[in-house]
Each structure stands twice: as structure tokens, then as C-alpha cells.
PDB file of all heavy atoms in Angstrom:
ATOM      1  N   ARG A 182     102.364  64.861 101.361  1.00  0.00           N
ATOM      2  CA  ARG A 182     101.460  66.072 100.877  1.00  0.00           C
ATOM      3  C   ARG A 182     100.056  65.820 101.414  1.00  0.00           C
ATOM      4  O   ARG A 182      99.411  66.625 101.882  1.00  0.00           O
ATOM      5  CB  ARG A 182     101.527  66.189  99.261  1.00  0.00           C
ATOM      6  CG  ARG A 182     100.745  67.317  98.778  1.00  0.00           C
ATOM      7  CD  ARG A 182     101.387  68.644  99.220  1.00  0.00           C
ATOM      8  NE  ARG A 182     100.582  69.726  98.793  1.00  0.00           N
ATOM      9  CZ  ARG A 182     100.317  70.804  99.517  1.00  0.00           C
ATOM     10  NH1 ARG A 182     100.801  70.970 100.651  1.00  0.00           N
ATOM     11  NH2 ARG A 182      99.526  71.830  98.988  1.00  0.00           N
ATOM     12  N   PHE A 183      99.640  64.586 101.330  1.00  0.00           N
ATOM     13  CA  PHE A 183      98.311  64.199 101.725  1.00  0.00           C
ATOM     14  C   PHE A 183      98.216  64.532 103.278  1.00  0.00           C
ATOM     15  O   PHE A 183      97.250  65.117 103.746  1.00  0.00           O
ATOM     16  CB  PHE A 183      98.053  62.752 101.501  1.00  0.00           C
ATOM     17  CG  PHE A 183      96.652  62.240 101.719  1.00  0.00           C
ATOM     18  CD1 PHE A 183      95.662  63.093 102.200  1.00  0.00           C
ATOM     19  CD2 PHE A 183      96.407  60.805 101.576  1.00  0.00           C
ATOM     20  CE1 PHE A 183      94.330  62.538 102.456  1.00  0.00           C
ATOM     21  CE2 PHE A 183      95.139  60.271 101.857  1.00  0.00           C
ATOM     22  CZ  PHE A 183      94.150  61.267 102.299  1.00  0.00           C
ATOM     23  N   ASP A 184      99.319  64.287 103.998  1.00  0.00           N
ATOM     24  CA  ASP A 184      99.282  64.527 105.423  1.00  0.00           C
ATOM     25  C   ASP A 184      99.299  66.081 105.739  1.00  0.00           C
ATOM     26  O   ASP A 184      98.629  66.452 106.700  1.00  0.00           O
ATOM     27  CB  ASP A 184     100.428  63.829 106.231  1.00  0.00           C
ATOM     28  CG  ASP A 184     100.326  63.760 107.627  1.00  0.00           C
ATOM     29  OD1 ASP A 184      99.206  63.256 108.194  1.00  0.00           O
ATOM     30  OD2 ASP A 184     101.190  64.238 108.378  1.00  0.00           O
ATOM     31  N   ALA A 185      99.950  66.746 104.954  1.00  0.00           N
ATOM     32  CA  ALA A 185      99.953  68.185 105.034  1.00  0.00           C
ATOM     33  C   ALA A 185      98.447  68.724 104.839  1.00  0.00           C
ATOM     34  O   ALA A 185      97.998  69.625 105.618  1.00  0.00           O
ATOM     35  CB  ALA A 185     100.813  68.919 104.098  1.00  0.00           C
ATOM     36  N   PHE A 186      97.736  68.191 103.946  1.00  0.00           N
ATOM     37  CA  PHE A 186      96.323  68.523 103.717  1.00  0.00           C
ATOM     38  C   PHE A 186      95.479  68.104 104.924  1.00  0.00           C
ATOM     39  O   PHE A 186      94.550  68.685 105.230  1.00  0.00           O
ATOM     40  CB  PHE A 186      95.822  67.918 102.487  1.00  0.00           C
ATOM     41  CG  PHE A 186      96.145  68.750 101.221  1.00  0.00           C
ATOM     42  CD1 PHE A 186      96.821  68.112 100.157  1.00  0.00           C
ATOM     43  CD2 PHE A 186      95.790  70.047 101.197  1.00  0.00           C
ATOM     44  CE1 PHE A 186      97.082  68.841  98.987  1.00  0.00           C
ATOM     45  CE2 PHE A 186      96.112  70.844 100.013  1.00  0.00           C
ATOM     46  CZ  PHE A 186      96.694  70.201  98.984  1.00  0.00           C
ATOM     47  N   ARG A 187      95.795  66.930 105.665  1.00  0.00           N
ATOM     48  CA  ARG A 187      95.110  66.553 106.782  1.00  0.00           C
ATOM     49  C   ARG A 187      95.196  67.615 107.808  1.00  0.00           C
ATOM     50  O   ARG A 187      94.173  67.969 108.504  1.00  0.00           O
ATOM     51  CB  ARG A 187      95.660  65.251 107.366  1.00  0.00           C
ATOM     52  CG  ARG A 187      95.175  64.755 108.741  1.00  0.00           C
ATOM     53  CD  ARG A 187      95.849  63.623 109.288  1.00  0.00           C
ATOM     54  NE  ARG A 187      97.355  63.832 109.586  1.00  0.00           N
ATOM     55  CZ  ARG A 187      97.647  64.409 110.705  1.00  0.00           C
ATOM     56  NH1 ARG A 187      96.895  64.735 111.676  1.00  0.00           N
ATOM     57  NH2 ARG A 187      98.958  64.543 110.961  1.00  0.00           N
ATOM     58  N   LYS A 188      96.459  68.174 108.026  1.00  0.00           N
ATOM     59  CA  LYS A 188      96.571  69.234 109.015  1.00  0.00           C
ATOM     60  C   LYS A 188      95.838  70.566 108.700  1.00  0.00           C
ATOM     61  O   LYS A 188      95.172  71.127 109.481  1.00  0.00           O
ATOM     62  CB  LYS A 188      98.108  69.608 109.212  1.00  0.00           C
ATOM     63  CG  LYS A 188      98.898  68.427 109.764  1.00  0.00           C
ATOM     64  CD  LYS A 188     100.326  68.631 109.794  1.00  0.00           C
ATOM     65  CE  LYS A 188     101.081  67.358 110.156  1.00  0.00           C
ATOM     66  NZ  LYS A 188     102.415  67.532 110.016  1.00  0.00           N
ATOM     67  N   LYS A 189      95.838  70.913 107.395  1.00  0.00           N
ATOM     68  CA  LYS A 189      95.134  72.105 106.953  1.00  0.00           C
ATOM     69  C   LYS A 189      93.606  71.916 107.069  1.00  0.00           C
ATOM     70  O   LYS A 189      93.017  72.759 107.480  1.00  0.00           O
ATOM     71  CB  LYS A 189      95.569  72.358 105.435  1.00  0.00           C
ATOM     72  CG  LYS A 189      94.846  73.668 104.965  1.00  0.00           C
ATOM     73  CD  LYS A 189      95.426  74.250 103.730  1.00  0.00           C
ATOM     74  CE  LYS A 189      96.757  74.979 104.066  1.00  0.00           C
ATOM     75  NZ  LYS A 189      96.546  76.368 104.412  1.00  0.00           N
ATOM     76  N   ARG A 190      93.191  70.775 106.694  1.00  0.00           N
ATOM     77  CA  ARG A 190      91.768  70.455 106.775  1.00  0.00           C
ATOM     78  C   ARG A 190      91.282  70.587 108.304  1.00  0.00           C
ATOM     79  O   ARG A 190      90.210  71.069 108.649  1.00  0.00           O
ATOM     80  CB  ARG A 190      91.441  69.033 106.352  1.00  0.00           C
ATOM     81  CG  ARG A 190      89.976  68.608 106.476  1.00  0.00           C
ATOM     82  CD  ARG A 190      90.005  67.276 107.145  1.00  0.00           C
ATOM     83  NE  ARG A 190      88.658  66.934 107.569  1.00  0.00           N
ATOM     84  CZ  ARG A 190      88.507  66.397 108.751  1.00  0.00           C
ATOM     85  NH1 ARG A 190      89.346  66.300 109.691  1.00  0.00           N
ATOM     86  NH2 ARG A 190      87.271  66.040 109.074  1.00  0.00           N
ATOM     87  N   ASN A 191      92.189  69.989 109.222  1.00  0.00           N
ATOM     88  CA  ASN A 191      91.764  70.097 110.674  1.00  0.00           C
ATOM     89  C   ASN A 191      91.664  71.536 111.098  1.00  0.00           C
ATOM     90  O   ASN A 191      90.722  71.950 111.819  1.00  0.00           O
ATOM     91  CB  ASN A 191      92.865  69.412 111.497  1.00  0.00           C
ATOM     92  CG  ASN A 191      92.652  67.858 111.419  1.00  0.00           C
ATOM     93  OD1 ASN A 191      91.704  67.359 110.859  1.00  0.00           O
ATOM     94  ND2 ASN A 191      93.725  67.219 111.854  1.00  0.00           N
ATOM     95  N   LEU A 192      92.546  72.380 110.629  1.00  0.00           N
ATOM     96  CA  LEU A 192      92.458  73.846 111.066  1.00  0.00           C
ATOM     97  C   LEU A 192      91.217  74.495 110.441  1.00  0.00           C
ATOM     98  O   LEU A 192      90.517  75.233 111.166  1.00  0.00           O
ATOM     99  CB  LEU A 192      93.667  74.647 110.590  1.00  0.00           C
ATOM    100  CG  LEU A 192      94.987  74.454 111.242  1.00  0.00           C
ATOM    101  CD1 LEU A 192      96.148  75.023 110.515  1.00  0.00           C
ATOM    102  CD2 LEU A 192      94.919  74.887 112.724  1.00  0.00           C
ATOM    103  N   GLY A 193      90.994  74.258 109.239  1.00  0.00           N
ATOM    104  CA  GLY A 193      89.847  74.715 108.548  1.00  0.00           C
ATOM    105  C   GLY A 193      88.479  74.232 109.026  1.00  0.00           C
ATOM    106  O   GLY A 193      87.413  74.958 109.038  1.00  0.00           O
ATOM    107  N   ALA A 194      88.265  73.027 109.490  1.00  0.00           N
ATOM    108  CA  ALA A 194      87.227  72.399 109.974  1.00  0.00           C
ATOM    109  C   ALA A 194      86.951  72.627 111.369  1.00  0.00           C
ATOM    110  O   ALA A 194      85.717  72.836 111.727  1.00  0.00           O
ATOM    111  CB  ALA A 194      87.286  70.866 109.761  1.00  0.00           C
ATOM    112  N   TYR A 195      87.848  72.938 112.174  1.00  0.00           N
ATOM    113  CA  TYR A 195      87.797  73.042 113.652  1.00  0.00           C
ATOM    114  C   TYR A 195      88.125  74.383 114.304  1.00  0.00           C
ATOM    115  O   TYR A 195      87.779  74.646 115.395  1.00  0.00           O
ATOM    116  CB  TYR A 195      88.491  71.915 114.444  1.00  0.00           C
ATOM    117  CG  TYR A 195      88.011  70.558 113.902  1.00  0.00           C
ATOM    118  CD1 TYR A 195      88.978  69.660 113.285  1.00  0.00           C
ATOM    119  CD2 TYR A 195      86.677  70.103 114.054  1.00  0.00           C
ATOM    120  CE1 TYR A 195      88.588  68.440 112.843  1.00  0.00           C
ATOM    121  CE2 TYR A 195      86.336  68.849 113.661  1.00  0.00           C
ATOM    122  CZ  TYR A 195      87.239  67.934 113.053  1.00  0.00           C
ATOM    123  OH  TYR A 195      86.827  66.762 112.666  1.00  0.00           O
ATOM    124  N   GLU A 196      88.997  75.162 113.618  1.00  0.00           N
ATOM    125  CA  GLU A 196      89.557  76.242 114.352  1.00  0.00           C
ATOM    126  C   GLU A 196      89.373  77.545 113.647  1.00  0.00           C
ATOM    127  O   GLU A 196      89.058  78.540 114.293  1.00  0.00           O
ATOM    128  CB  GLU A 196      91.067  76.064 114.501  1.00  0.00           C
ATOM    129  CG  GLU A 196      91.364  74.871 115.375  1.00  0.00           C
ATOM    130  CD  GLU A 196      92.875  74.695 115.616  1.00  0.00           C
ATOM    131  OE1 GLU A 196      93.674  75.679 115.568  1.00  0.00           O
ATOM    132  OE2 GLU A 196      93.280  73.569 115.978  1.00  0.00           O
ATOM    133  N   ARG A 197      89.477  77.707 112.319  1.00  0.00           N
ATOM    134  CA  ARG A 197      89.464  78.969 111.677  1.00  0.00           C
ATOM    135  C   ARG A 197      88.876  78.760 110.236  1.00  0.00           C
ATOM    136  O   ARG A 197      89.320  77.931 109.514  1.00  0.00           O
ATOM    137  CB  ARG A 197      90.912  79.461 111.667  1.00  0.00           C
ATOM    138  CG  ARG A 197      91.089  80.827 112.044  1.00  0.00           C
ATOM    139  CD  ARG A 197      92.521  81.392 112.030  1.00  0.00           C
ATOM    140  NE  ARG A 197      93.430  80.246 111.784  1.00  0.00           N
ATOM    141  CZ  ARG A 197      94.697  80.339 111.972  1.00  0.00           C
ATOM    142  NH1 ARG A 197      95.189  81.467 112.463  1.00  0.00           N
ATOM    143  NH2 ARG A 197      95.523  79.312 111.597  1.00  0.00           N
ATOM    144  N   ALA A 198      88.066  79.739 109.851  1.00  0.00           N
ATOM    145  CA  ALA A 198      87.637  79.758 108.537  1.00  0.00           C
ATOM    146  C   ALA A 198      88.573  80.434 107.589  1.00  0.00           C
ATOM    147  O   ALA A 198      89.365  81.266 108.056  1.00  0.00           O
ATOM    148  CB  ALA A 198      86.230  80.581 108.404  1.00  0.00           C
ATOM    149  N   GLY A 199      88.567  80.129 106.312  1.00  0.00           N
ATOM    150  CA  GLY A 199      89.406  80.723 105.352  1.00  0.00           C
ATOM    151  C   GLY A 199      90.931  80.176 105.358  1.00  0.00           C
ATOM    152  O   GLY A 199      91.764  80.892 104.774  1.00  0.00           O
ATOM    153  N   MET A 200      91.059  79.038 105.767  1.00  0.00           N
ATOM    154  CA  MET A 200      92.426  78.438 105.852  1.00  0.00           C
ATOM    155  C   MET A 200      92.839  77.965 104.434  1.00  0.00           C
ATOM    156  O   MET A 200      94.074  77.902 104.183  1.00  0.00           O
ATOM    157  CB  MET A 200      92.447  77.245 106.808  1.00  0.00           C
ATOM    158  CG  MET A 200      92.314  77.737 108.270  1.00  0.00           C
ATOM    159  SD  MET A 200      93.617  78.788 108.730  1.00  0.00           S
ATOM    160  CE  MET A 200      95.124  77.822 108.538  1.00  0.00           C
ATOM    161  N   ALA A 201      91.979  77.540 103.564  1.00  0.00           N
ATOM    162  CA  ALA A 201      92.409  76.956 102.262  1.00  0.00           C
ATOM    163  C   ALA A 201      92.067  77.997 101.183  1.00  0.00           C
ATOM    164  O   ALA A 201      91.234  78.718 101.138  1.00  0.00           O
ATOM    165  CB  ALA A 201      91.590  75.621 102.034  1.00  0.00           C
ATOM    166  N   SER A 202      92.983  77.860 100.197  1.00  0.00           N
ATOM    167  CA  SER A 202      92.780  78.643  99.018  1.00  0.00           C
ATOM    168  C   SER A 202      92.108  77.749  97.933  1.00  0.00           C
ATOM    169  O   SER A 202      92.055  76.548  98.062  1.00  0.00           O
ATOM    170  CB  SER A 202      94.239  79.118  98.434  1.00  0.00           C
ATOM    171  OG  SER A 202      94.870  77.975  97.963  1.00  0.00           O
ATOM    172  N   ASP A 203      91.611  78.431  96.820  1.00  0.00           N
ATOM    173  CA  ASP A 203      90.968  77.686  95.717  1.00  0.00           C
ATOM    174  C   ASP A 203      91.977  76.786  95.185  1.00  0.00           C
ATOM    175  O   ASP A 203      91.690  75.659  94.780  1.00  0.00           O
ATOM    176  CB  ASP A 203      90.476  78.670  94.689  1.00  0.00           C
ATOM    177  CG  ASP A 203      89.198  79.384  95.144  1.00  0.00           C
ATOM    178  OD1 ASP A 203      88.435  78.871  95.986  1.00  0.00           O
ATOM    179  OD2 ASP A 203      88.936  80.513  94.652  1.00  0.00           O
ATOM    180  N   GLY A 204      93.271  77.183  95.005  1.00  0.00           N
ATOM    181  CA  GLY A 204      94.222  76.362  94.476  1.00  0.00           C
ATOM    182  C   GLY A 204      94.493  75.125  95.297  1.00  0.00           C
ATOM    183  O   GLY A 204      94.745  74.066  94.800  1.00  0.00           O
ATOM    184  N   GLU A 205      94.572  75.306  96.610  1.00  0.00           N
ATOM    185  CA  GLU A 205      94.726  74.176  97.553  1.00  0.00           C
ATOM    186  C   GLU A 205      93.589  73.178  97.498  1.00  0.00           C
ATOM    187  O   GLU A 205      93.737  71.937  97.587  1.00  0.00           O
ATOM    188  CB  GLU A 205      94.939  74.642  98.972  1.00  0.00           C
ATOM    189  CG  GLU A 205      96.283  75.178  99.199  1.00  0.00           C
ATOM    190  CD  GLU A 205      96.396  75.950 100.476  1.00  0.00           C
ATOM    191  OE1 GLU A 205      95.403  76.573 100.972  1.00  0.00           O
ATOM    192  OE2 GLU A 205      97.453  75.928 101.081  1.00  0.00           O
TER     193      GLU A 205
END
């Protein structure tokens, strides 16, 4: 789960805004 957040964080930090929800 932590590693899945690593991947999501990379997308949100480097590629696209709005990748994470408030719940995430």
C-alpha cells in the first residue's frame, strides 16, 4: 500500500495535478 502511494505521489508531483483525493 505504501508503494502504491509512492507511485501516486510521483504522478501528482511530477506529471499531473489532481491525482489524489482527500480520502487518499
Side-chain angles (χ1 to χ4, degrees):
R182 186 63 183 141
F183 188 3
D184 194 51
F186 279 123
R187 174 185 64 84
K188 294 170 187 173
K189 182 163 283 275
R190 176 236 171 224
N191 285 348
L192 286 173
Y195 301 116
E196 296 181 25
R197 228 176 354 195
M200 290 299 299
S202 68
D203 286 334
E205 288 169 323

